[in-house]
Amino acid sequence: MSASELYQRIVLEHSRAPHHFGALAAPTHRAEGANPLCGDTLHVELRVVDGCVAEIAFRGEACAIAKATASMLGEAAARLDADGIAQLEARFARVIGGDLERDDTLGDLNALAALANYPSRRKCALLPFATLRAALAGTAKTTTEGEHR
Amino acid sequence: MSTQASRGDIAAFDVARIRAGFPILSRQVHGKPLVYFDNANTSQKPIEVIDAVDRFYRETNANVARAVHSLGEAATSAYEGARDKIARFINAPTRDEVIFTSGTTQAMNTVAYSYALPRLQPGDEILVTTMEHHANIVPWQLVAARTGAKVIAAPITQSGELIVEEFIARLNPRVKLAGVTHVSNVLGTINPIRELAKACRARGIPLLVDGSQAAPHLAIDVQALGCDFYALTGHKLYGPTGTGVLWARKELLAEMPPFFGGGEMIRTVSFDGTTFADAPHKFEAGTPNIAGFVGLGAAIDYVNRIGLDTIGAIEGELAAYMSDALKSVPGLRLFGEAKDKAAVFSFLIDGVHAHDLATLLDHEGVAVRSGHHCAHPLMQFYGVPATARASLAFYNTREEIDAFIAAIAKVRKLLA
C-alpha cells in the first residue's frame, strides 16, 4: 500500500481546485455537516427543481479527501433525486468499504477506492454525502458520527 | 521542584540501550522504521512494564483485599505496593490519599460527582482555562447543568500562556472549584501551578490540577505545588492503559461521598444502611485493574531508575532541536510558544490539512496525531478546526526528528 494509491493525481487535482465550490445565487436547500473526529465542517447549498439537484455548491474547511469527494460528488449528483443520491452513496460506501472494487456509475469517485485500506479516513469521504443527504431531507445540521467506523 | 540533571547523567544516557528496552520501537511501519511522535496521546511501554503485567497473570493472579490464600495475599501486596510507589512519586503526605482510577477522566469525574455536585448552588462557578482538555471541562458542565452553576474560563495569550492575573481576577466568592492543566496537551505550556494554588488557597477555593501530561516529564510534588486535587493517567507515564490516580487532601476525601458503590468500598452493609470504608477504598468499588496497577508500579520504578531530571534534560534538548527544525519548514505555523513548555508541538502547514499530513507521514513511518486533541475551545480560540501534533519522549532521537522533517518535505511536495 503506497501513499500515491490514496492521494493519486485525480484526487489531488479535485482537492486543489474543487469543482462545485462556492455559493449559489438562489439556493432552495442548505445544510452544514461536521466530522466530529477531526473538526472539519462542510456546507452545501442546492437548487432543487422537481425533486432533482439542478445546482450544487460546497464550501468549508476540510481535508483533501473530503474536498476531492465533494468535488466529484458535485458532478455525480447532478440531476439525481434523493433516492438516486441514496443509491449513489450506498454504492460509494461499498467501494470505500472494500466490498466492491469499483462501480462504473460512480465515475471519478472510484478513485477513492483506496480508502478500503484507511478505515479511519472513510468518514472524511462520507462527510459530503451526509451533508448533501441532510440538505435534501431539510435537516440543517448533520454529523458523520455513527457512520462507518 | 526538581534539581537539574548533571552533565554526567546526560552524557551517560545511552539512547540506543534505552530504545532497546521498548520492544515496539524496533518495529517498522509501511516498511520504514517507526518514528513514534504521539507520546502525548499514549506513551510506549518498556519491557519491565510488559513483563510485570505478564508475570502477574502467570504467577500471582488473584483478587485483592478479599482472599486469604497465598495468591490473594501476593496480589494484594503487589497492588497496594503500587499505591506506595505512587504516593512517593507525587510526594503525597500519606498513601491513603492516593485513589486508583481508570485514568484522569475517572479522577475528574470522581471530583465532579463526589466533591462538586453536593456543594454547588445556582449561580456558583467552576473556573477553568481556555487550554483545558475536554476531561477538565465536560464533567463540570454536567454537574453545573444539574445544579444551576456555570463553568467559566480564564483566557490565554496568542503564544499559549495562561494570563495569570485574569485567572486570579476570576477567583470571586462564587467560584467553588478551579481546575487547571499542569501541562497543556496541545500547546505544551507548563502552567505556574504554585502561583495559582497560592491564589486559590488565599480565597479558600480548592484547586484541581490535571497532571496527565505533566507526570511523564516533570517531578510532581503535590505538597510543594499546594493544590488540593491532582489527577494523572498511567498510560502516558509508560504504564498500562486503564490506570489512573486521583490524589486529594484527606480532609476533602473524608467529606466526599463515594461516586461508585459496590464491593470493596464498604465497612458494613445492611438493608437499613451501609457504612463506607475510609479513603482510598471508599472510592474503589469493584475489582480494580490489578494487573494494570502492578504494571504502573513497574513503570514508576522504571522512571525513577532513569530519573525525571535526566528525562527532563533529554527532552529539553530534543525540544530545542525540534523547535529549530520546525522553523525551517516553509509555511509552518506553530501553536504554543510559551517560555516554559514541554516537548509538544502543534502545528499547521499552509495548503496541507492536518489529517492528510498525518496519513502521509504514517506512510513514512512517522506517527503524529491530527485533530482537535479533545480541546475544542482551544481550537476555537485559534480559529482552526484541527492541528497536527508531534509530541516527544526521552526515547526519541535527533535522527528521528530529521526523518520527520524530511517526511514533511515529501508531503509538502505532494500536497502544497
Side-chain angles (χ1 to χ4, degrees):
Chain A
M1 184 188 0
S2 86
S4 56
E5 221 187 327
L6 179 59
Y7 291 90
Q8 53 181 282
R9 182 183 294 190
I10 187 163
V11 172
L12 293 175
E13 282 172 2
H14 274 280
S15 73
R16 282 198 192 104
H19 307 168
H20 305 281
F21 262 62
L24 295 184
T28 58
H29 297 64
R30 67 178 85 220
E32 176 187 304
N35 182 346
L37 172 78
C38 60
D40 281 353
T41 304
L42 212 54
H43 300 261
V44 71
E45 290 182 352
L46 306 174
R47 191 165 63 81
V48 176
V49 178
D50 297 334
C52 294
V53 174
E55 273 188 287
I56 178 167
F58 285 99
R59 70 189 152 80
E61 285 240 8
C63 64
I65 302 303
K67 276 201 310 211
T69 307
S71 174
M72 295 170 183
L73 176 58
E75 305 282 342
R79 292 176 298 283
L80 292 182
D81 62 5
D83 279 350
I85 285 165
Q87 286 167 30
L88 188 74
E89 182 174 359
R91 290 194 295 269
F92 181 68
R94 289 189 69 202
V95 168
I96 65 170
D99 299 328
L100 200 63
E101 209 167 304
R102 58 177 286 119
D103 183 304
D104 288 338
T105 64
L106 289 176
D108 284 358
L109 285 165
N110 281 303
L112 291 152
L115 283 170
N117 294 323
Y118 299 83
S120 67
R121 298 297 305 275
R122 282 179 210 152
K123 277 185 181 181
C124 306
L126 291 172
L127 178 61
F129 279 93
T131 311
L132 171 56
R133 181 157 30 89
L136 282 168
T139 312
K141 288 195 178 203
T142 188
T143 77
T144 52
E145 201 163 4
E147 308 260 344
H148 292 240
R149 282 167 202 277
Chain B
M1 183 158 47
S2 65
T3 54
Q4 284 295 304
S6 72
R7 282 175 197 285
D9 291 339
I10 300 173
F13 183 82
D14 180 354
V15 73
R17 218 180 73 212
I18 294 285
R19 290 177 67 83
F22 285 78
I24 207 170
L25 294 180
S26 60
R27 70 159 283 178
Q28 298 204 326
V29 170
H30 293 294
K32 310 271 172 61
L34 168 66
V35 174
Y36 189 76
F37 281 1
D38 198 16
N39 293 289
N41 211 348
T42 194
S43 66
Q44 297 302 346
K45 320 303 174 198
I47 192 76
E48 286 87 339
V49 170
I50 299 167
D51 281 351
V53 173
D54 180 85
R55 200 163 51 243
F56 177 81
Y57 281 125
R58 286 177 191 278
E59 297 174 8
T60 318
N61 182 51
N63 212 328
V64 289
R66 294 167 173 78
V68 296
H69 53 70
S70 297
L71 294 184
E73 295 281 13
T76 303
S77 150
Y79 177 74
E80 292 298 335
R83 197 186 310 276
D84 293 325
K85 289 175 187 178
I86 287 161
R88 285 194 294 273
F89 187 70
I90 61 173
N91 196 29
T94 146
R95 70 189 306 280
D96 295 337
E97 295 179 344
V98 174
I99 296 157
F100 285 167
T101 65
S102 63
T104 301
T105 299
Q106 192 190 334
M108 302 298 224
N109 278 277
T110 299
V111 177
Y113 286 92
S114 292
Y115 180 82
L117 183 62
R119 284 171 177 73
L120 291 174
Q121 300 290 325
D124 282 350
E125 294 173 354
I126 298 159
L127 174 62
V128 298
T129 79
T130 306
M131 70 173 87
E132 299 308 317
H133 186 283
H134 294 165
N136 196 19
I137 300 173
V138 182
W140 316 126
Q141 289 177 329
L142 288 170
V143 293
R146 284 165 62 163
T147 54
K150 65 178 178 180
V151 179
I152 59 171
I156 63 171
T157 63
Q158 278 295 319
S159 65
E161 290 178 310
L162 176 65
I163 305 171
V164 173
E165 50 273 33
E166 293 279 353
F167 181 90
I168 293 173
R170 281 165 176 73
L171 292 172
N172 64 70
R174 292 185 303 279
V175 175
K176 294 299 182 292
L177 182 72
V180 177
T181 191
H182 198 165
V183 174
S184 162
N185 69 313
V186 180
L187 308 168
T189 307
I190 301 174
N191 281 314
I193 299 300
R194 282 186 201 218
E195 192 182 349
L196 304 179
K198 208 172 147 192
C200 288
R201 182 61 59 85
R203 292 160 181 81
I205 298 168
L207 175 67
L208 177 150
V209 178
D210 173 356
S212 302
Q213 299 291 341
H217 309 292
L218 308 173
I220 307 295
D221 180 338
V222 291
Q223 298 184 66
L225 288 172
C227 58
D228 299 280
F229 298 99
Y230 198 96
L232 62 86
T233 195
H235 73 95
K236 297 184 201 289
L237 184 54
Y238 312 104
T241 53
T243 61
V245 172
L246 170 65
W247 169 82
R249 288 194 293 111
K250 63 174 179 294
E251 314 85 91
L252 296 171
L253 291 174
E255 293 169 8
M256 289 161 58
F259 177 27
F260 289 124
E264 208 179 296
M265 49 77 75
I266 51 84
R267 194 164 287 146
T268 63
V269 177
S270 79
F271 287 109
D272 296 325
T274 291
T275 55
F276 304 118
D278 288 332
H281 300 289
K282 180 166 77 171
F283 299 99
E284 294 180 10
T287 296
N289 182 1
I290 307 165
F293 284 100
V294 171
L296 181 57
I300 302 272
D301 289 342
Y302 178 87
V303 168
N304 286 337
R305 192 160 56 74
I306 306 294
L308 273 165
D309 293 342
T310 302
I311 288 174
I314 297 292
E315 289 176 349
E317 289 196 345
L318 287 171
Y321 189 78
M322 179 75 145
S323 189
D324 287 345
L326 286 173
K327 280 178 194 141
S328 73
V329 178
L332 186 139
R333 176 183 176 196
L334 191 63
F335 298 85
E337 296 181 274
K339 282 188 286 294
D340 203 8
K341 73 170 272 183
V344 174
F345 299 88
S346 281
F347 61 95
L348 284 175
I349 296 170
D350 281 346
V352 183
H353 190 281
H355 267 12
D356 298 318
L357 179 67
T359 294
L360 289 162
L361 287 180
D362 180 61
H363 277 274
E364 302 299 318
V366 180
V368 299
R369 178 154 178 202
S370 58
H372 50 62
H373 315 292
C374 301
H376 278 168
L378 186 59
M379 296 292 116
Q380 288 154 15
F381 172 77
Y382 284 112
V384 296
T387 68
R389 180 188 68 187
S391 49
L392 309 181
F394 68 99
Y395 48 61
N396 290 128
T397 64
R398 289 182 175 212
E399 291 72 26
E400 288 183 306
I401 293 172
D402 294 342
F404 163 69
I405 297 293
I408 287 181
K410 251 175 124 167
V411 174
R412 281 192 69 247
K413 207 169 157 194
L414 186 70
L415 293 185

